[in-house]
Amino acid sequence: DASHASMDSFDRLEMQCDGDAMPSKKRRKRKRPLPRARRPRVRNKHRSHQPPPPHRHRPHLMLHLPMYTMHSSLSPMMMMMMATTMAMTLTLHRFHYDDSDDDLAVPTARAASALSAKTPAKSNNQRFSSDNGNGMFSPSARKVKVPAIPMISNDTLNRIGGKLYPDLRHAFVKRLLRHAKEVRRRHWGKDAFDGTVRSIMALSLRSHPVRSAEVCKEIKGIGVVLQDVLKDAASAEGSTPYCPPRGKLSAVAPAAILAMQQWTDSNPDEPLCTMEELIRRANNLLDPRAGAAMTEDTAYYLDRNNMDPGWAQIKKLCSADVNAGREQYLKQRARKGRSTSGVVFELTDEGKLLAKQIQEMVDVGPVELGPLRQYAKSEVSQDFKHVTLSVDFREGGGGRFNLHKMCSTLEILGCPFVVRELKIADYVYFVGNKLAPFLVERKSIEDVAHSVADGRWERQQRNMRQAQYILGGPDRKCHIGYLIEGDASNVVVHGGKVGRTSWGQSEEDVEKAIDSLAKLGFFIMRSRNHKTSMAKLAALAKEVSWQKENGSLDATLTYDEFIAKMRRCDNKEGDPPTDRRHQYPSAPLVDDDNRHYEQRRTPDARRVGGDDSTSGAASSAQAAGAAVAAPAAPATNSELEAELQKLSAAELKRRCKERDEPTGGKKGDLIARLLKPRKPEILIVRKRNGDHVPSLPSCNAALLIGLLLNTRPGEGLSKEELMVRADECGASKVAMDQKNGFYDGFSGMSTLKTGDPALVTMKKKLYC
């Protein structure tokens, strides 16, 4: 379907990638499409969904690079150029991946439907694998079951002060139902009624427990508007909140879906269920104590002015809500001869899948007490299949502040986690019920200043070195480190002090304390905010799972065994290390945030003097880092340079202008610009049209790179996930969620969605 004009642009880009000279060509006129009557007619239900045959292979334009290579070996400028090149390929030619031909991108052709009969069908397992065709993670990656949550005995929980929380979903649903009946009595309460019904559906259709009102802020479809209502419900319920018995439900939405599934099972030849039968079956599944039954006649519910919470839930099940993350589960149809109401309902495929989950939830019955927060999905990517991250419940200021935001970020990243009360470190990794030799302490810049002032700084370090001895033995084969979050220059107050004046810590004092950690045996990782911190912890979880997969991880102790040995450990094991092998450890993750800190904290003695092998390894590492950081020099083309020397200055300026290069300077300068790699064609086209072109570093460039690394053609990311992925790539000057007045890093998305061609498009509220 690509026009001749776009094919002309693509051919020029292809010739440049091949190293050929760029000929001067005029744009061809676009051919007029065939009249509608002369086009071949293909019915939708018979249209084949097989991928079209490859049109022209261009492997030199494909990006077959794994994610770790993208992060470690390429500069942000190179990643943004690849992102814009991919956007140009997808926008101008509507490419998609064909797995049957080595994942090459091929343009969709109008003859696909005619040729698809010759192409054998592919199964879903072949189409969607853990590799998205470029060696990168994709939302459609193959999943595995979530690892078992760390099994900590009740005795150990009581000994370390752990607390278990009840499930409050049904108590919240019952209170919101009463709130919906209250707000519908006032004319200004229509929006509040609609939002309350949407919250009831979000909670009642959720298959995982909700153990605090603060968690509801992070659930799509609820938000912060009803926080006061939910907090009142949580405080009123006490230690034994309301929960329906086994086999019963507390809301109409799950009862209606389960009732439709029961109707379909009992009437396989008649999938349409009348309105009267649906209401009767749903009422039989509802717990009378919830007060959610629909007891009126059908005429009452069919009235346009009706605002019944139960019937409103059934109406919302008949339409999708992308903002709330809800699909269409029911279809409403008109059949006047079937019943008095003349309304029938049908269960969709998505509704059938949800009905199975609801049936499992009903069969299990009341949920037992559990941790405050844990991974709320039943499947996880293969990268995390061996590991569970345990988070201290005091992190981020606890549940009232940033803990739930951090846990939601881990859910977006797909990292399985559980919130516990930890004695040592803020983050530990479990492999099954065994403790992995990785301990991480997260400190904000303000917390560093406060810890140095009140003496917790040295005490925490001693405890972590003792834990390192227990988990790693005398050889200290356990990674302990600090994740430092933020920049000291951003939290300087009156008098040049960091955080608070009473702490008496200057910016130099804080940075000196951080730099001293390396000599004391700790690795150092830096991050900008909570989101980038969680991204680094999730990446470290992948490393732990990879080591377990390859048999290089030594995890032998459970958490209670670890605590018991900590109590018997000698204090001398917590002394600062004197052996150079245990000093200045490298961070398990190396990125742009750590690179200049790694160079700054390394002592001169290790670079200049000391062991030859050590200095040689250090120099080799520095040379490798310089090779990675420095862009590759373009190969000289003597023949092309000789041809350019024969051209006049006017012709050279014309070619520079055509490539969006400066036209000033001497003839040698013009030739040097023409010998450089050509910019991505989409940037040149947008520049000519006067559209926005992202620069580096910038938030817009980070958004593009985040989309490139984490999606495949036809897929997209939500705003929340895109913000996390953009922060993770590190292509912006500041954190993506950092406010500048009313704007943050996502404010430039409107400029990426405009222009001809656009760099970002939207499909079903997802950014592609």
Side-chain angles (χ1 to χ4, degrees):
D1 290 339
S3 64
H4 290 285
S6 58
M7 286 298 295
D8 179 39
S9 302
F10 189 86
D11 290 337
R12 289 189 293 155
L13 176 61
E14 181 186 11
M15 295 179 66
Q16 183 64 25
C17 293
D18 290 336
D20 299 334
M22 179 61 60
S24 176
K25 302 170 72 174
K26 295 182 179 180
R27 288 187 179 272
R28 306 170 188 168
K29 293 184 179 180
R30 184 172 183 176
K31 292 184 178 181
R32 297 178 60 185
L34 292 173
R36 184 172 298 275
R38 294 172 55 186
R39 296 180 185 176
R41 182 179 180 182
V42 181
R43 295 184 182 273
N44 290 336
K45 64 180 180 179
H46 299 300
R47 187 184 298 274
S48 175
H49 296 282
Q50 299 300 327
H55 173 66
R56 184 189 300 175
H57 301 323
R58 299 181 174 95
H60 53 279
L61 292 179
M62 295 302 100
L63 307 175
H64 293 272
L65 295 174
M67 178 174 288
Y68 67 86
T69 305
M70 301 287 291
H71 282 287
S72 61
S73 302
L74 298 179
S75 64
M77 183 62 189
M78 187 67 70
M79 286 193 291
M80 197 197 77
M81 291 179 64
M82 288 190 295
T84 51
T85 304
M86 183 66 71
M88 179 270 294
T89 306
L90 299 176
T91 305
L92 296 183
H93 303 281
R94 305 173 189 173
F95 275 21
H96 76 278
Y97 279 90
D98 179 12
D99 291 351
S100 63
D101 194 20
D102 197 21
D103 288 337
L104 295 179
V106 295
T108 58
R110 284 191 292 267
S113 59
L115 296 176
S116 59
K118 303 178 182 179
T119 306
K122 295 178 70 65
S123 65
N124 291 334
N125 293 334
Q126 292 174 323
R127 177 62 179 169
F128 300 114
S129 63
S130 60
D131 192 348
N132 69 354
N134 293 335
M136 309 169 194
F137 175 75
S138 169
S140 62
R142 184 158 54 93
K143 305 290 185 179
V144 296
K145 292 296 182 182
V146 175
I149 297 301
M151 301 300 294
I152 301 178
S153 63
N154 293 331
D155 295 338
T156 303
L157 284 175
N158 295 331
R159 189 163 58 250
I160 64 177
K163 183 179 179 181
L164 300 178
Y165 300 81
D167 183 16
L168 299 174
R169 280 178 300 170
H170 304 288
F172 289 159
V173 168
K174 184 178 179 181
R175 180 63 182 88
L176 289 173
L177 180 62
R178 190 175 69 185
H179 180 72
K181 294 179 180 180
E182 293 173 356
V183 298
R184 67 179 178 177
R185 300 173 182 176
R186 297 176 287 270
H187 70 90
W188 46 264
K190 291 184 178 180
D191 293 339
F193 173 82
D194 185 75
T196 305
V197 172
R198 186 168 60 249
S199 301
I200 292 174
M201 297 183 64
L203 287 170
S204 61
L205 297 178
R206 182 181 173 89
S207 58
H208 294 272
V210 176
R211 306 188 188 275
S212 70
E214 288 78 9
V215 180
C216 299
K217 295 181 182 179
E218 308 299 325
I219 300 177
K220 285 187 176 181
I222 300 180
V224 299
V225 179
L226 298 172
Q227 276 298 300
D228 294 338
V229 178
L230 298 177
K231 289 180 180 179
D232 293 341
S235 59
E237 293 294 333
S239 59
T240 57
Y242 160 74
C243 185
R246 179 179 299 178
K248 295 294 183 179
L249 296 166
S250 60
V252 173
I257 294 176
L258 190 57
M260 284 296 305
Q261 183 62 46
Q262 294 176 356
W263 168 267
T264 304
D265 294 341
S266 59
N267 301 274
D269 298 333
E270 183 53 59
L272 301 180
C273 178
T274 62
M275 174 181 172
E276 293 84 353
E277 182 66 18
L278 174 61
I279 293 177
R280 185 186 67 81
R281 287 176 175 265
N283 287 336
N284 293 335
L285 293 172
L286 291 173
D287 181 18
R289 294 183 299 164
M294 297 181 290
T295 58
E296 304 293 337
D297 56 2
T298 56
Y300 172 81
Y301 298 115
L302 293 178
D303 186 5
R304 295 183 59 183
N305 297 323
N306 166 54
M307 294 181 66
D308 183 80
W311 183 248
Q313 295 176 51
I314 294 180
K315 296 292 290 184
K316 287 185 178 295
L317 290 175
C318 297
S319 59
D321 189 350
V322 180
N323 294 328
R326 189 179 67 247
E327 301 288 343
Q328 181 183 1
Y329 301 120
L330 297 180
K331 290 183 180 180
Q332 180 179 345
R333 304 181 186 276
R335 296 291 187 272
K336 294 184 178 180
R338 290 290 303 275
S339 63
T340 305
S341 63
V343 178
V344 296
F345 293 90
E346 182 181 1
L347 194 63
T348 63
D349 294 338
E350 291 79 7
K352 294 177 182 178
L353 295 176
L354 182 60
K356 294 181 180 179
Q357 299 178 7
I358 297 174
Q359 185 63 56
E360 294 176 358
M361 182 173 60
V362 170
D363 295 339
V364 171
V367 180
E368 298 180 354
L369 300 178
L372 177 63
R373 190 78 184 267
Q374 65 188 63
Y375 191 66
K377 296 180 182 179
S378 58
E379 293 181 340
V380 71
S381 171
Q382 292 189 91
D383 296 333
F384 300 102
K385 66 179 181 180
H386 295 293
V387 65
T388 300
L389 172 63
S390 185
V391 184
D392 185 60
F393 81 106
R394 293 174 289 257
E395 270 297 275
R400 294 185 178 182
F401 294 95
N402 295 319
L403 174 63
H404 293 297
K405 291 183 179 179
M406 299 162 69
C407 293
S408 298
T409 303
L410 290 174
E411 285 188 352
I412 292 175
L413 294 169
C415 178
F417 69 93
V418 60
V419 175
R420 288 283 193 261
E421 183 178 359
L422 303 178
K423 291 292 186 180
I424 306 298
D426 293 330
Y427 301 90
V428 297
Y429 295 89
F430 285 89
V431 179
N433 65 338
K434 304 295 184 180
L435 192 60
F438 285 84
L439 304 176
V440 180
E441 182 82 16
R442 188 190 67 90
K443 289 284 186 183
S444 64
I445 289 295
E446 300 96 317
D447 198 9
V448 172
H450 193 193
S451 300
V452 173
D454 62 9
R456 288 184 292 121
W457 187 247
E458 291 81 6
R459 185 170 62 253
Q460 289 176 347
Q461 294 175 17
R462 175 173 291 275
N463 292 337
M464 290 187 68
R465 282 192 291 264
Q466 288 178 333
Q468 183 189 36
Y469 175 79
I470 293 175
L471 292 176
D475 293 335
R476 306 282 178 172
K477 294 182 179 180
C478 174
H479 301 272
I480 57 174
Y482 278 79
L483 177 57
I484 307 299
E485 184 178 291
D487 190 354
S489 61
N490 294 333
V491 290
V492 175
V493 297
H494 176 71
K497 305 303 181 182
V498 174
R500 292 183 183 180
T501 306
S502 59
W503 293 341
Q505 302 296 320
S506 64
E507 183 178 351
E508 292 76 13
D509 296 336
V510 172
E511 292 296 339
K512 183 178 179 180
I514 295 173
D515 291 341
S516 65
L517 291 172
K519 187 176 181 180
L520 299 175
F522 299 92
F523 67 79
I524 305 173
M525 295 191 299
R526 304 296 293 248
S527 66
R528 300 179 179 180
N529 54 7
H530 294 330
K531 292 183 178 179
T532 52
S533 297
M534 297 303 105
K536 293 179 185 296
L537 291 171
L540 187 55
K542 291 182 181 180
E543 175 67 19
V544 175
S545 181
W546 183 88
Q547 291 188 15
K548 174 62 178 178
E549 182 77 15
N550 290 271
S552 57
L553 186 70
D554 187 13
T556 58
L557 298 178
T558 60
Y559 190 78
D560 51 352
E561 294 172 347
F562 167 72
I563 293 296
K565 288 191 175 184
M566 277 290 298
R567 292 174 177 174
R568 300 192 300 266
C569 184
D570 194 347
N571 289 333
K572 68 177 183 179
E573 305 299 342
D575 295 338
T578 56
D579 192 342
R580 290 182 57 188
R581 296 177 302 169
H582 304 151
Q583 296 177 346
Y584 303 99
S586 299
L589 303 174
V590 179
D591 53 18
D592 291 334
D593 293 333
N594 295 338
R595 188 168 297 159
H596 68 281
Y597 293 104
E598 291 276 349
Q599 296 174 357
R600 186 181 66 182
R601 68 175 176 80
T602 305
D604 295 336
R606 293 194 65 185
R607 291 198 302 264
V608 178
D611 186 43
D612 292 338
S613 61
T614 304
S615 60
S619 60
S620 301
Q622 294 175 3
V628 170
T636 59
N637 192 335
S638 57
E639 297 180 358
L640 180 59
E641 183 178 2
E643 293 180 1
L644 294 176
Q645 288 286 356
K646 301 176 183 178
L647 301 178
S648 62
E651 177 63 19
L652 294 176
K653 290 182 179 180
R654 187 193 66 79
R655 294 197 177 190
C656 286
K657 184 177 181 181
E658 191 269 338
R659 293 168 54 119
D660 190 29
E661 298 285 352
T663 57
K666 301 179 180 179
K667 187 174 182 179
D669 299 333
L670 299 175
I671 294 176
R673 294 165 191 161
L674 292 175
L675 291 176
K676 293 192 304 182
R678 184 183 178 88
K679 296 180 181 179
E681 197 69 20
I682 192 170
L683 297 183
I684 299 176
V685 174
R686 288 179 63 89
K687 189 73 172 181
R688 291 173 184 169
N689 296 338
D691 297 325
H692 169 70
V693 176
S695 59
L696 272 172
S698 67
C699 293
N700 287 351
L703 292 173
L704 285 177
I705 297 173
L707 283 174
L708 169 68
L709 296 180
N710 300 280
T711 59
R712 60 181 294 168
E715 296 177 347
L717 300 177
S718 62
K719 176 183 176 181
E720 295 79 10
E721 186 173 1
L722 178 55
M723 290 284 281
V724 174
R725 299 299 183 181
D727 253 330
E728 185 181 7
C729 71
S732 59
K733 292 182 180 178
V734 297
M736 294 295 295
D737 58 354
Q738 181 173 329
K739 292 286 186 179
N740 184 9
F742 295 99
Y743 304 99
D744 58 8
F746 200 79
S747 302
M749 176 57 71
S750 58
T751 61
L752 300 178
K753 295 191 298 182
T754 58
D756 185 17
L759 296 175
V760 178
T761 58
M762 291 197 68
K763 293 182 179 180
K764 296 183 179 181
K765 301 288 185 177
L766 298 178
Y767 295 89
C768 309

